[in-house]
Amino acid sequence: MSPDEEYKLLPGSPIRSDDGPPTLRPKYRFMRATSHWLVVGLSLVILILLAALYRVSRQTYGQLCSQQLYSPAQDAIAYEAKTFYVPQNASFRSSYTSDPSDEVDQAWNDIYMNLGLSHISKNEAMRLPDKTAPYPEDPSKYVVILSVFHQLHCLNILRKVYHSDYYADPLTGNIGITKHSSIPDHVAHCLDILRQGIMCAADISPIVYDWDEERQKTIPMLSIGHSCRKWDNIVDWARDHQL
């Protein structure tokens, strides 16, 4: 038997042909094709699993970190770790809680008064879960106010009612544009808006406790870290869309 004939008898050896390059026996061609499609099939399964995992991870992230309902300001959302400053000295007053003055009023006005009403496009308005009205002077713009600015307005109203001896008109009893007769209803409205807002935001940052040697008891430590939305981002968005 010639060397060439012996070569043909080896398992899996190519079949020589005088008409072209060596070829594989039919069963080995079938095995090669089968393995090829097996690899393709496994790749598709892996891609499907990765796509499903990505979808689940996005849904989980969305439940934790993003808006369930559309907001035109949602792209401005970013998070940062922030420690609340709560001094142990009960008599301390910040720029927002000091006795009424022009400076304190200005501090409150700066954080919300000029940023209340915002304009959005028609396309953005169509994506809102609730309808809003167009701006009368420019129907291509639609009017919204971010809830946080309304909540700050409510908190400021409560502050002014608390200091009604300073803010109430001596003749009418009105506080700003709130008539004296409407103050109880306005206060009730604001209290419930703030209650719902606090429950909606549901800050889960844990308040820790520590032993106070001076008072000889364990007390809550309120100056703790919180996961906060970056306030400057929200303000920048509101300024860019100021109506």
Side-chain angles (χ1 to χ4, degrees), residues 175-190:
I175 296 180
I177 62 173
T178 304
K179 293 183 178 179
H180 181 263
S181 60
S182 300
I183 289 175
D185 290 339
H186 202 166
V187 167
H189 157 81
C190 281

Side-chain angles (χ1 to χ4, degrees), residues 11 25 39 56 66 89 95 100 108 127 129 158 170 204 220 233:
R25 294 178 186 274
V39 170
V56 170
S66 68
N89 182 0
S95 301
W108 278 92
R127 297 179 63 190
L158 297 181
I204 58 173
N233 289 26

Side-chain angles (χ1 to χ4, degrees), residues 12-196:
S13 60
I15 301 174
R16 294 205 174 190
S17 171
D18 295 337
D19 298 330
T23 59
L24 293 177
R25 294 178 186 274
K27 70 173 182 179
Y28 295 109
R29 288 202 300 270
F30 172 77
M31 291 176 63
R32 172 176 286 185
T34 302
S35 63
H36 169 76
W37 287 112
L38 182 62
V39 170
V40 171
L42 287 174
S43 299
L44 287 174
V45 170
I46 291 172
L47 286 174
I48 292 171
L49 290 175
L50 288 174
L53 182 62
Y54 174 74
R55 193 175 194 180
V56 170
S57 65
R58 281 204 60 172
Q59 290 175 347
T60 303
Y61 178 82
Q63 291 171 356
L64 293 175
C65 301
S66 68
Q67 293 284 120
Q68 293 294 305
L69 299 177
Y70 170 75
S71 167
Q74 63 190 27
D75 290 340
I77 294 174
Y79 289 87
E80 63 180 345
K82 204 163 192 176
T83 299
F84 285 10
Y85 178 61
V86 185
Q88 296 299 319
N89 182 0
S91 63
F92 173 82
R93 296 290 183 268
S94 72
S95 301
Y96 305 101
T97 58
S98 295
D99 290 337
S101 66
D102 291 342
E103 290 74 23
V104 172
D105 288 344
Q106 188 61 49
W108 278 92
N109 290 343
D110 287 345
I111 60 174
Y112 82 91
M113 184 64 76
N114 296 323
L115 300 173
L117 292 180
S118 301
H119 66 82
I120 60 174
S121 68
K122 182 177 181 179
N123 288 337
E124 290 172 315
M126 291 175 64
R127 297 179 63 190
L128 294 177
D130 303 288
K131 292 183 179 179
T132 191
Y135 184 48
E137 297 182 13
D138 185 353
S140 67
K141 297 178 179 178
Y142 285 73
V143 184
V144 295
I145 177 173
L146 298 185
S147 290
V148 63
F149 296 125
H150 179 221
Q151 292 165 8
L152 286 170
H153 153 78
C154 270
L155 193 58
N156 198 21
I157 286 293
L158 297 181
R159 179 185 70 89
K160 289 182 177 181
V161 170
Y162 179 73
H163 294 290
S164 58
D165 56 336
Y166 180 88
Y167 289 104
D169 186 286
L171 296 178
T172 64
N174 298 346
I175 296 180
I177 62 173
T178 304
K179 293 183 178 179
H180 181 263
S181 60
S182 300
I183 289 175
D185 290 339
H186 202 166
V187 167
H189 157 81
C190 281
L191 282 172
D192 214 38
I193 282 291
L194 292 174
R195 175 192 65 81
Q196 294 179 77

